[in-house]
């Protein structure tokens, strides 16, 4: 390009100067050539330029247009041999200099020299030139020479796709949340510094992309990194090893923190370590966009549905913009309710609210972990990377506060909750939780907490039932006439123990009533069981609400006690396996027409509604 420009300049000089026409063709072209190269090489009329080009992971598809243009405009290309080979087919430069891995500094010096001589020079880096690449070195060399943008040669850093991004794309979406890159090369950085960075990143729950993880000589660094990470993260933490992303020898391994060293890791590998929320899904590594902050008892995956995530209660961790203090979402809502100008006044008041330990269970509640403030965490992180000796007793990764959602009841049959249990429940729920009484005769509890397991332990110790919420099997029994009809209670409890809390496509209610009166309306549940004359009647597929509500279909009478649970299990498992996500039980029965050996019958009583006398 630059050569062409000079060609045009020289041609027009020839055009203007008549005397030059006296030259023969050979003389003309010789003179022109000398002039062009004089202008180009001699830096007579123009300064040179350096492009520092990141060419991405290595294939043609992932190099930017600007990078290709820069390479094609350059008459001098310099880079590490392997990289030069990757882009050689794209360029026509007269000079291509490939150097060894350790010659970055001399490469940068040489590039500056060439540009000062009027050349257009491209210095290339894989990925992005500003990430462990040549950009910084080029600037360092220039600065040493007193370069400024106004007086010196032109410099353009052309961005490229760095390994953290190219490798992440091949793994799924592991880098969705706050992340960092750490180079494990202690060639230019002392290991003690690298070690502290790993520690700080591990503690602060960053997704980490390790560059330069291992080479022929450097083998211990990645093992040390693993050891440090295991102090803070679960051995199951997903890890992706991507070798030569988007190159011919690309290789992807999904593993975990405990087993990552059992696989091949080399110079061309990037090691991506997930954070505490990262999970595997269908051969992919996914880090959720934010912390889910939900803990549902018995759920393997703790996820908010999209509409739930958008609510304020789902964000108890938000940092208040005005006061700079972290508050719970509930405190925030209270503060907003509290006054006309919530931004100024009431916040402080609410944020200092303390929950007194409960007299009845003081020791247990005191065991709930204390929350660390953002400031404390920041101090800890700073201490980790400063040169001061680090107190290791506080080096524990911040526990993540979740909204723990569950149901509580005094029992399957028992409907009496004691004052003592009530007190414990109230204290556990505390200032920040909510307690809602539901039509299913139980409390629906939501508590922001870092220690859901501890809460379950405290409540169960006091004799309360703690049950999962959501799309699970719930069992709702009658009160058995307060013990007068207690015979069948053990069967109800057995159903609870065997199937209660089972995860299903949609919530499913099993109603269990202890006599033929069925006054707790078992026949209006998804599955109704009525105990009568030492045997069971079974009803399935009620539609309990809506304009087309109807009772369940009676499908079996006089079932023997030992037949009940196997039959129930069969019905529930068929539904679990074959229903669409979110498909209610009655809809499923209506669609498939058969569950176990029971055939569907339309129980909706379709009465013709008479036309209203005044129709319009
Ligand atoms: N400037 C480059 C990084 C150079 S450091 C960039 O932004 O990507 C060299 C390290 O980068 C390698 O050890 C490896 O960890 C990583 N890397 C570079 N290219 C890669 C690729 N195609 N696949 C996987 N890792 C790569």
């Amino acid at each position: 390009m630059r050569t062409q420009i000079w060609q045009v300049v020289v041609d027009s000089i020839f055009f203007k100067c008549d005397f030059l026409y006296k030259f023969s063709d050979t003389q003309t072209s010789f003179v022109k050539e000398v002039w062009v190269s004089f202008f180009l090489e001699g830096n007579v009329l123009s300064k040179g330029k350096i492009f520092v080009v990141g060419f991405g992971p290595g294939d043609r598809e992932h190099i930017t247009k600007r990078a290709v243009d820069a390479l094609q405009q350059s008459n001098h290309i310099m880079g590490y041999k392997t990289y030069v080979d990757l882009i050689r087919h794209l360029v026509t430069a007269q000079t291509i200099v490939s150097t060894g891995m350790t010659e970055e500094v001399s490469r940068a010096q040489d590039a500056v020299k060439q540009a000062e001589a009027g050349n257009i020079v491209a210095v290339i880096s894989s990925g992005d030139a500003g990430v462990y690449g040549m950009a910084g070195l080029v600037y360092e060399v220039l600065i040493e020479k007193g370069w400024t943008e106004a007086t010196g040669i032109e410099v353009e850093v052309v961005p490229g796709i760095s390994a953290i991004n190219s490798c992440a794309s091949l793994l799924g979406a592991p880098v969705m949340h706050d992340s960092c890159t750490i180079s494990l090369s202690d060639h230019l950085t002392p290991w003690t510094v690298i070690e502290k960075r790993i520690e700080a990143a591990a503690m602060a729950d960053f997704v980490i992309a390790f560059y330069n993880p291992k080479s022929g000589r450097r083998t211990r660094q990645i093992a040390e990194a693993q050891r440090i990470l295991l102090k803070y993260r679960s051995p199951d933490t997903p890890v992706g090893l991507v070798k030569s992303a988007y190159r011919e020898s690309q290789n992807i391994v999904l593993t975990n923190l405990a087993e990552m060293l059992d696989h091949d890791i080399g110079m061309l590998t990037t090691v991506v370590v997930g954070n505490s929320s990262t999970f595997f899904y269908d051969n992919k590594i996914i880090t959720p966009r934010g912390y889910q902050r939900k803990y549902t008892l018995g759920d393997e995956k703790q996820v908010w549905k999209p509409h739930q995530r958008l609510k304020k209660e789902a964000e108890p961790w938000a940092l208040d913009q005005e006061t700079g203090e972290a508050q719970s979402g509930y405190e925030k809502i209270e503060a907003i309710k509290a006054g006309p100008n919530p931004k100024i006044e009431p916040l402080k008041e609410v944020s200092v609210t303390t929950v007194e330990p409960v007299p009845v269970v003081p020791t247990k509640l005191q065991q709930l972990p204390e929350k660390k403030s953002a400031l404390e965490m920041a101090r800890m992180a700073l201490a980790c990377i400063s040169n001061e000796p680090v107190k290791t007793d506080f080096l524990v990764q911040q526990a993540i506060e979740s909204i723990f959602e569950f149901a509580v009841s005094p029992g399957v049959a028992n409907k009496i909750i004691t004052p003592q249990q009530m007190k414990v429940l109230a204290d556990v729920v505390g200032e920040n939780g909510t307690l809602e009484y539901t039509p299913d005769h139980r409390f629906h509890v939501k508590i922001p907490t870092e220690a859901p397991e501890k809460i379950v332990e405290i409540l169960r110790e006091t004799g309360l039932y703690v049950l999962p919420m959501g799309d699970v099997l719930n069992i709702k029994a009658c009160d058995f006439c307060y013990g007068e009809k207690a015979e069948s209670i053990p069967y109800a409890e057995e159903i609870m123990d065997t199937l209660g809390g089972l995860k299903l496509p949609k919530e499913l209610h099993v109603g269990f009533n202890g006599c033929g009166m069925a006054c707790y309306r078992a026949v209006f549940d998804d599955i109704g069981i009525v105990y009568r004359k030492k045997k069971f009647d079974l009803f399935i597929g009620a539609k309990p609400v809506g304009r087309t509500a109807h009772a369940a279909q009676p499908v079996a009478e006089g079932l023997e006690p030992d037949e009940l649970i196997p039959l129930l299990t069969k019905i529930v498992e068929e539904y679990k396996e074959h229903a669409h996500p979110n498909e209610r039980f009655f809809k499923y029965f209506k669609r498939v027409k058969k569950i176990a050996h029971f055939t569907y019958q339309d129980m909706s009583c379709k009465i013709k509604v008479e036309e209203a006398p005044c129709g319009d």
Side-chain angles (χ1 to χ4, degrees):
M1 179 75 171
R2 201 163 160 266
T3 316
Q4 284 157 5
I5 292 169
W6 284 118
Q7 213 94 53
V8 175
V9 173
V10 170
D11 282 348
S12 42
I13 295 171
F14 263 72
F15 185 71
K16 294 269 173 216
C17 304
D18 289 348
F19 71 94
L20 292 170
Y21 284 112
K22 298 188 183 92
F23 285 178
S24 69
D25 280 357
T26 329
Q27 286 168 328
T28 304
S29 70
F30 175 73
V31 170
K32 278 184 177 179
E33 215 170 283
V34 169
W35 283 18
V36 168
S37 64
F38 173 71
F39 287 134
L40 278 173
E41 304 286 332
N43 194 19
V44 171
L45 296 173
S46 123
K47 288 179 239 159
K49 174 169 181 177
I50 295 190
F51 286 109
V52 194
V53 180
F55 62 82
D59 68 332
R60 178 66 186 86
E61 296 289 302
H62 293 91
I63 180 167
T64 65
K65 179 173 179 305
R66 183 65 192 151
V68 175
D69 287 350
L71 292 172
Q72 288 176 350
Q73 283 170 29
S74 305
N75 62 331
H76 213 94
I77 292 178
M78 316 179 76
Y80 169 51
K81 188 176 175 318
T82 316
Y83 299 161
V84 166
D85 291 344
L86 282 167
I87 51 103
R88 197 179 286 275
H89 61 288
L90 294 173
V91 298
T92 50
Q94 296 143 357
T95 322
I96 301 179
V97 184
S98 31
T99 47
M101 189 71 165
T102 53
E103 294 161 54
E104 289 114 329
V105 178
S106 54
R107 196 183 306 146
Q109 286 166 335
D110 203 15
V112 169
K113 219 163 81 191
Q114 290 298 338
E116 282 173 347
N119 285 300
I120 310 285
V121 183
V123 185
I124 58 165
S125 280
S126 73
D128 184 272
V131 180
Y132 315 118
M134 290 299 295
L137 275 176
V138 167
Y139 273 115
E140 281 182 59
V141 169
L142 287 168
I143 290 164
E144 222 172 40
K145 294 182 150 213
W147 172 91
T148 64
E149 192 152 40
T151 57
I153 50 161
E154 196 184 340
V155 180
E156 181 178 336
V157 180
V158 181
I161 303 173
S162 188
I164 185 172
N165 302 113
S166 55
C167 296
S169 71
L170 294 168
L171 292 168
V175 187
M176 275 307 288
H177 211 287
D178 296 342
S179 61
C180 65
T181 63
I182 299 180
S183 168
L184 291 186
S185 166
D186 47 8
H187 170 50
L188 297 169
T189 314
W191 176 251
T192 47
V193 173
I194 299 174
E195 205 174 33
K196 281 178 188 159
R197 288 186 182 156
I198 302 170
E199 189 108 37
M203 180 173 57
D205 206 29
F206 278 86
V207 172
I208 308 171
F210 288 108
Y211 283 58
N212 300 305
K214 200 172 170 185
S215 70
R217 280 182 306 110
R218 283 187 308 103
T219 52
R220 272 184 50 213
Q221 285 76 355
I222 187 70
E224 274 297 296
Q226 180 202 39
R227 185 187 63 74
I228 298 168
L229 285 165
L230 280 169
K231 289 203 283 179
Y232 306 97
R233 291 197 198 171
S234 154
D236 300 333
T237 306
V239 171
L241 311 175
V242 183
K243 186 181 154 218
S244 301
Y246 297 101
R247 297 185 196 165
E248 258 171 32
S249 51
Q250 173 180 299
N251 190 37
I252 302 163
V253 175
L254 302 191
T255 174
N256 61 32
L257 202 49
E259 291 164 14
M260 60 187 254
L261 298 185
D262 301 345
H263 304 274
D264 183 33
I265 296 177
M267 287 257 287
L268 291 172
T269 311
T270 296
V271 178
V272 181
V273 179
N275 71 14
S276 62
S277 310
T278 306
F279 60 88
F280 288 114
Y281 180 82
D282 193 23
N283 279 327
K284 302 264 171 288
I285 297 180
I286 315 289
T287 300
R289 175 65 185 81
Y291 284 93
Q292 292 293 333
R293 302 293 188 107
K294 185 183 184 194
Y295 185 93
T296 305
L297 197 68
D299 258 15
E300 260 172 52
K301 265 189 260 160
Q302 305 287 337
V303 284
W304 290 114
K305 290 184 179 160
H307 71 279
Q308 293 173 312
R309 284 192 72 174
L310 298 175
K311 288 187 179 167
K312 271 267 175 273
E313 306 92 284
E315 300 178 342
W317 55 80
L319 181 73
D320 180 72
Q321 299 296 321
E322 298 293 320
T323 62
E325 283 178 33
Q327 286 187 314
S328 102
Y330 292 94
E331 287 165 345
K332 246 185 161 177
I333 288 165
E334 282 312 309
I336 287 162
K337 281 187 203 150
N341 195 350
K343 277 188 185 156
I344 307 162
E345 232 226 286
L347 292 178
K348 269 258 176 270
E349 221 177 279
V350 190
S351 64
V352 295
T353 312
T354 49
V355 185
E356 286 298 317
V358 201
V360 275
V361 280
T363 47
K364 290 280 174 194
L365 278 183
Q366 277 162 1
Q367 282 168 23
L368 293 175
E370 225 180 275
K371 197 175 153 189
K372 287 191 181 61
S373 71
L375 186 64
E376 247 180 300
M377 287 300 294
R379 281 204 184 111
M380 285 157 62
L382 278 177
C384 279
I385 54 168
S386 76
N387 282 332
E388 283 164 32
V390 177
K391 259 174 73 198
T392 46
D393 54 347
F394 59 56
L395 287 179
V396 176
Q397 188 189 306
Q398 169 92 55
I400 306 292
E401 190 177 80
S402 312
I403 309 250
F404 180 27
E405 207 181 352
F406 57 96
V408 170
S409 80
V412 182
N414 182 20
K415 301 283 178 284
I416 296 169
I417 187 161
T418 66
Q420 177 75 351
Q421 288 174 327
M422 208 60 198
K423 265 189 199 161
V424 175
L425 182 58
D427 288 327
V428 160
V429 173
E431 295 284 316
N432 298 329
T434 58
L435 193 63
E436 180 188 345
Y437 192 67
T438 72
D440 300 335
H441 305 283
R442 49 200 209 158
F443 289 105
H444 179 179
V445 185
K446 282 186 194 166
I447 311 177
T449 177
E450 289 166 4
E453 297 85 2
K454 199 87 225 153
I455 286 177
V456 175
E457 192 189 319
I458 295 169
L459 292 175
R460 286 195 173 147
E461 240 170 48
T462 187
L464 289 167
Y465 267 64
V466 183
L467 310 158
M469 297 280 307
D471 292 332
V472 294
L473 187 142
N474 297 307
I475 167 140
K476 188 176 84 181
C478 69
D479 56 27
F480 300 85
C481 296
Y482 290 96
E484 277 178 38
K485 297 200 165 136
E487 251 182 12
S488 59
I489 291 176
Y491 299 113
E493 285 174 344
E494 199 184 335
I495 297 171
M496 169 68 103
D497 292 344
T498 335
L499 297 170
L502 182 75
K503 193 99 185 83
L504 293 170
K506 190 76 191 164
E507 67 184 273
L508 180 137
H509 293 272
V510 175
F512 189 108
N513 287 189
C515 77
M517 286 291 289
C519 65
Y520 269 67
R521 300 159 58 83
V523 298
F524 275 97
D525 276 316
D526 292 308
I527 299 180
I529 300 160
V530 177
Y531 183 70
R532 201 164 52 89
K533 298 181 186 158
K534 301 201 181 314
K535 294 188 179 168
F536 297 95
D537 297 341
L538 185 66
F539 302 79
I540 60 174
K543 180 170 185 279
V545 292
R547 287 176 64 243
T548 51
H550 58 77
Q553 176 183 332
V555 288
E557 272 193 359
L559 283 171
E560 292 298 334
D562 60 350
E563 291 173 305
L564 181 66
I565 294 212
L567 181 57
L568 265 184
T569 310
K570 188 169 182 354
I571 292 172
V572 169
E573 275 178 359
E574 271 188 37
Y575 169 61
K576 182 181 167 90
E577 194 170 329
H578 301 296
H580 302 318
N582 282 323
E583 189 175 32
R584 289 198 179 271
F585 184 78
F586 76 87
K587 280 200 176 157
Y588 168 74
F589 192 23
K590 190 171 174 186
R591 177 170 65 84
V592 298
K593 302 280 187 282
K594 205 166 184 122
I595 296 185
H597 52 282
F598 306 126
T599 308
Y600 173 79
Q601 285 176 39
D602 191 355
M603 293 293 292
S604 58
C605 177
K606 293 202 178 103
I607 297 170
K608 187 166 174 353
V609 179
E610 278 192 24
E611 263 179 40
C614 41
D616 43 28

